[in-house]
Amino acid sequence: IIIAIIASLFFPQTIAGPLYRIERDIKDKIAEGDLTIKFNLRKHDDVKDLADSINIMLEKLREKITDIKSVSDEMREVIHIKHNEDGFVDNLIEVYKKLEGSINRFKI
């Protein structure tokens, strides 16, 4: 009985503590757009696999959003710098298609 009581006090904390930190960071940081966060749990935490999966998901989101930002920067350059050049519309359409392709990588 004593071992069961001690175990019941210890095990919930090894799960609840990390889950609470993950939930808090998802609500407070990721929901506000901060994708720079990384979940670092101890090796023996029961939810380490969950944290690792979330870290992988965030890395893939960062890559996709970085791609969209790059194409957006390219579009701004075409609009501001090349608007008087021949083929402006063609350049703009080409960059728009890249942006559309980057956005379509998301399933909404």
Side-chain angles (χ1 to χ4, degrees), residues 10-23 45-47:
F10 176 72
F11 287 117
Q13 184 59 29
T14 63
I15 295 173
L19 281 178
Y20 170 76
R21 289 192 308 273
I22 290 171
E23 177 190 18
D45 282 337
D46 293 331
V47 293

Side-chain angles (χ1 to χ4, degrees), residues 59 64 76 99:
E59 179 60 33
K64 289 178 180 181
R76 183 180 55 240
L99 183 59

Side-chain angles (χ1 to χ4, degrees), residues 67-81:
D67 186 42
I68 290 171
K69 184 181 180 325
S70 173
V71 175
S72 174
D73 291 344
E74 186 179 345
M75 183 175 277
R76 183 180 55 240
E77 180 182 328
V78 167
I79 291 170
H80 289 328
I81 296 174

Side-chain angles (χ1 to χ4, degrees), residues 35-48:
L35 301 180
T36 61
I37 191 163
K38 184 169 180 170
F39 296 98
N40 295 312
L41 300 180
R42 296 174 298 251
K43 288 183 180 183
H44 65 276
D45 282 337
D46 293 331
V47 293
K48 179 142 177 50

